[in-house]
Structure formats: structure tokens, C-alpha cells
Amino acid sequence: MTTDSNQTDAATATESTWQPRLALLVAATFFMEFLDGTILTTAVPSIASDFRVPAADVNITMTAYLVTVAMGIPLSSWLAERLGARRVFCLAIAVFTVASLLCAVSQDLTMLTLSRIAQGAGGAMMVPVGTLVVLRGTPKSELLRATAFLVWPGLLAPVLAPMVGGALTTFLSWHWIFIINLPLGLAAFIAALRLVPKTAGDGKRRLDWFGLLLTTLGVGALVVGLETLGGHAPGSVAAVVVGAGVLSLAGAVWWMAKAKVPLFNLSVFGTRTFRATSTGGFIYRLTISSVPFLLPLMFQDGFGWDPLKAGVMVAAVFVGNIGIKPATTPLIRRFGFKAVLVFASFASAVTFALCAFLTAQTPEPVIFGLLLLSGAFRSIGFSAYASVQYADIIPEQLPSANAISATLVQLAAGAGIAVGALFLRLFDATHLFGAEHVTAYKGAFLAMAVLMLVSTIDSLTLHRHAGAEVSAGSRR
């Protein structure tokens, strides 16, 4: 009995100890998953040429990957509880790595698309399960430090993807976009075996099949519909698909609210700090996600810049993301979540409004500086939302909260591009800000600024000391 008690105490101590190396490992796997979501963009012409298909057809490989990741997240939460998080996380890395090899050796578009679906299945498990592993082993006082590690992949991957993909495609071939995942995946798998603590799964845990079906179909329909709306030829079909997705998710919520063993514990929404993720947090991520879409288009289509110049200028956003990162945790410690969220969203709205008044004649250092500030505010808000959402969540609710959060992040990213594209078409068609083509971007950025202010209003309704256990935790 004494031996068992000692083992339990040791396990508890291990689980409650902050492990930076584990957080860094999970962040690295996230980076691979995020990077592969967009890295193929620059390789589309090369892949189309090799497979002798129209370039537009290759887009199916990116859509299939993103849809699979989004649809797989709900199931991954149950798998982690049933089989154990360590086992599922290692399996996810293995699936992602093997699927990358299959992508690299694909001989036609069909094989590449199927391989990308398998890769997305691995990515769907890596995202929420990896986060769950870190969060379960992190005390509330160290939650800010843990989420600081987990946020950077989402900030860095979007700017590196075009550059890495372009360089590999230009100097080697598009196959190397996937080949580089092999040594990275192998190293991550070995590290996971050593760093991720063993946890026993609940072999008797039942799966809410109907809740899973409704949730998966709803998420898949929303992602596909948003991808279509954000494309060049949206129509009534896209609107119907989005509507079907919303209805399916509404049905899932209704079902899980009365199910004995629901897929997700919806009581997490009763926690105000977590609910901020699906209200102001969702709007914040949506508007922020539109920037990497709108800026390059405005610089090339509106200002007449070449892609390289536009890409370098947009990189200022991500320089600001990374540059401010060391200061985000001290800022939250000093001022608290509410003040930081209000500031980050309001400041972001101001930068959006200022972007609306940029022209081809605006001095480039001024544009770079504005985008640098925009990136810094973006990073502060991302870090604050990533931490505050778990501040008041109890351990029993953590799997559900984590899976729901991961799903909302995926949906917000797709919605940002779709909403940005819709605003562009709206102002281009109505000429509300003028007949010139570039004025459509002015309208889109102003609309995004107004939308961001909705997030600010939501943050203002938070309690003054929201998430204080986390923000006022360890101040080392």
C-alpha cells in the first residue's frame, strides 16, 4: 500500500511540474502541422506541371488537408481519453510522418490528395492532444509560460510557409516540402517517447457517436463552405453548405446538452473566461486571420507591387509577432487579462483603420512600421486569449475545453479569409468608397476594424480580475 501511495504521489508531482522541453516538443509538432496547411501554395504551379493538371485543381490538396484537420479534432479528444494521451500523440506524429512520405512519392493528384487526407488525420490528433498533454502537466501558476510556447507556431508558420515552400520548390523540387518532415517527424517521435508522461486510458469510455457525427459533419461543412466563399467563384451553393454546417452544429449542441455521455462537456461554456474564446476571441481570431489575406492582395492588386516586394512588406506583421513575444507574459502579469485584451483588440482595430488609408505613395518605412505594430498587437491578443480560456477550467473539463477551442481556432482562420473576400467583393461592387479598384481594400479594412471593436466590447464585459489565478501566478 505504501509503495502504491508513493508511486501515486510521484506521478502527481511529475504531472504538476512545468516541463519546458515537453512544451517545446508539442510546439514543434504544431509548427509542422500549421506549416503544411499553407506551404503548398507556392508549389501549386510546379505540382500542376508534373501531374499535367490545371493549377486550380491542385487546390483540392490544400482544402482536403484543412478539412480533415478540422473534422478530426472532435474525435481526437475522445481517443486521448480512451487510449491515453501519450499513445495517441505518438501515433499522430507517426501518421503525419508516414503520410508526408506518401505525399512525397505521389505519382498523381489523386494519390497526393489521399495522402494529404492521411496527413491531416495525423495533424488533427497532434493539435488538441499535444495541447492536452502540456496543459495537464502545467499548474495554473505556470499556464502563461506554457501557452507562450504553444502560441508561437501559429504566429511564425504563416510567414515562413511561402518562403520555405518557394525556396524548396525553386532550388530542389516540391517533393522536398514533404521530405523535410521525415527527419523532423522521426526526431519528434523519439522525443515524445522520452518526454510525454505515460497515462492510462479509460477503456470503458463510451463514444457519443451521434454527437460525433453531427459535430464532424457540421465542422466539415463550415470549412468547405468558408473555403468556397473565400475563393474566386462563391455562389448560393457555398451559402447552403455553410448554413447546413451551422444547423448541424446546432443539432450537435442540442443533442449533447441532453446526452448521458456527450462527446463534449458543454458546461465549459458556463465559465466566462472560457466563453470569451467563442465570443470575442472568435471574432478577434477571425479579423486577425484576414490580414495575411488582404495585405498581399492590396499590395499587388491595388498598389501594383511584385509578389516579392509584397511578401517582404507583409513579413513586418510577423516580425512584430515574434518581436513582442518575450513581453506578452510580463504585460499580462502586470495589467491582467481584461486590460490586455481590451488594449490588444482596440489597438488592432486602429491599425486596421490606418491600413485603409495606405496608398501606393505612402512611404514604405511608414507602411512597414504600421504593420510591425499590427503584428505586435496581434501577438499580445493571441497569447492572452490562449491563456485566459483555460484559467478557470477544472481538470475534468479540460479535454472538452481543449477540443472545442482547437475547433474554433480552425473555423476562425477559415472564416477570416472568407469574410475578408466577401467585404472586398461588396465594396468593389458598390463603389461605396470610390470607383477605383483599390478603394475596395479601404472598405474591407474599415469593416474589419469595426468588427474588431466588437471583440473589444466583449472584453470590456469580463470581470476586472478575470483569470487572476493565472495572470497573478508565478512571477519569476
Side-chain angles (χ1 to χ4, degrees):
M1 180 67 69
T2 303
T3 302
D4 292 340
S5 178
N6 290 340
Q7 288 176 344
T8 301
D9 291 343
T12 302
T14 300
E15 290 178 0
S16 62
T17 302
W18 161 235
Q19 301 181 62
R21 290 191 300 169
L22 175 59
L24 189 60
L25 165 65
V26 174
T29 60
F30 287 4
F31 182 77
M32 287 196 301
E33 191 271 321
F34 292 148
L35 193 69
D36 276 56
T38 55
I39 195 172
L40 274 189
T41 304
T42 53
V44 166
S46 180
I47 296 173
S49 176
D50 280 3
F51 291 162
R52 297 178 181 177
V53 297
D57 291 357
V58 180
N59 287 335
I60 186 64
T61 62
M62 291 183 286
T63 301
Y65 177 85
L66 295 174
V67 170
T68 306
V69 169
M71 294 178 69
I73 289 173
L75 178 61
S76 67
S77 176
W78 177 82
L79 286 174
E81 293 296 292
R82 178 69 182 261
L83 304 177
R86 180 178 187 266
R87 184 179 300 173
V88 176
F89 185 60
C90 291
L91 174 64
I93 297 173
V95 170
F96 187 88
T97 305
V98 172
S100 296
L101 174 62
L102 294 176
C103 289
V105 301
S106 295
Q107 300 299 307
D108 54 43
L109 187 60
T110 299
M111 181 177 178
L112 179 59
T113 302
L114 293 175
S115 300
R116 287 283 281 174
I117 291 174
Q119 196 183 35
M125 291 187 286
M126 284 199 300
V127 175
V129 177
T131 302
L132 187 62
V133 167
V134 173
L135 295 178
R136 274 183 168 166
T138 304
K140 290 288 181 71
S141 61
E142 299 290 356
L143 188 58
L144 273 176
R145 296 177 65 193
T147 52
F149 277 77
L150 300 178
V151 166
W152 70 262
L155 298 174
L156 193 58
V159 69
L160 285 183
M163 292 190 291
V164 172
L168 290 174
T169 303
T170 300
F171 298 109
L172 295 170
S173 72
W174 63 265
H175 306 81
W176 282 88
I177 289 175
F178 303 107
I179 293 174
I180 61 172
N181 284 333
L182 304 184
L184 295 176
L186 179 60
F189 184 81
I190 294 172
L193 291 176
R194 298 186 59 180
L195 296 176
V196 179
K198 293 183 179 180
T199 54
D202 181 4
K204 297 181 179 179
R205 186 176 181 84
R206 293 170 54 192
L207 177 61
D208 177 10
W209 288 101
F210 192 60
L212 176 66
L213 176 65
L214 290 174
T215 303
T216 303
L217 290 177
V219 170
L222 275 180
V223 173
V224 172
L226 292 171
E227 283 280 310
T228 306
L229 285 172
H232 295 290
S236 56
V237 174
V240 169
V241 173
V242 170
V246 171
L247 288 175
S248 184
L249 288 179
V253 170
W254 171 81
W255 170 261
M256 285 185 277
K258 67 183 186 67
K260 291 184 179 180
V261 186
L263 180 67
F264 297 138
N265 181 0
L266 299 183
S267 66
V268 294
F269 288 108
T271 304
R272 179 64 182 94
T273 46
F274 179 81
R275 197 163 65 247
T277 303
S278 58
T279 52
F282 185 84
I283 296 172
Y284 183 86
R285 290 188 174 96
L286 183 155
T287 51
I288 288 296
S289 298
S290 69
V291 174
F293 168 75
L294 290 173
L295 283 176
L297 279 180
M298 183 174 73
F299 291 150
Q300 296 177 68
D301 188 38
F303 294 2
W305 291 3
D306 61 70
L308 179 60
K309 184 177 179 179
V312 171
M313 189 61 74
V314 173
V317 174
F318 303 100
V319 172
N321 288 166
I322 305 303
I324 197 65
K325 202 72 195 75
T328 55
T329 296
L331 284 171
I332 295 171
R333 296 273 195 227
R334 173 67 179 82
F335 298 104
F337 283 111
K338 179 177 180 177
V340 168
L341 287 172
V342 170
F343 168 76
S345 57
F346 182 77
S348 295
V350 172
T351 60
F352 286 179
L354 292 175
C355 283
F357 295 96
L358 295 177
T359 67
Q361 288 71 45
T362 304
E364 292 175 12
V366 173
I367 299 176
F368 191 90
L370 175 60
L371 299 189
L372 193 73
L373 286 175
S374 179
F377 301 144
R378 178 181 190 263
S379 183
I380 293 170
F382 259 78
S383 298
Y385 272 118
S387 302
V388 76
Q389 63 185 349
Y390 300 117
D392 302 313
I393 292 296
I394 60 177
E396 292 76 15
Q397 295 176 326
L398 193 55
S400 294
N402 180 51
I404 292 171
S405 173
T407 302
L408 289 174
V409 168
Q410 290 286 332
L411 293 178
I417 296 174
V419 172
L422 288 174
F423 278 140
L424 273 183
R425 295 191 188 93
L426 173 65
F427 292 111
D428 193 36
T430 59
H431 304 301
L432 190 61
F433 292 94
E436 295 182 10
H437 180 59
V438 71
T439 58
Y441 294 96
K442 180 177 182 178
F445 273 109
L446 287 176
M448 284 299 180
V450 172
L451 197 57
M452 179 60 83
L453 290 177
V454 177
S455 175
T456 305
I457 295 171
D458 181 76
S459 296
L460 284 169
T461 65
L462 285 171
H463 189 273
R464 179 182 176 185
H465 300 294
E469 184 181 357
V470 172
S471 63
S474 172
R475 295 178 184 271
R476 293 191 302 271

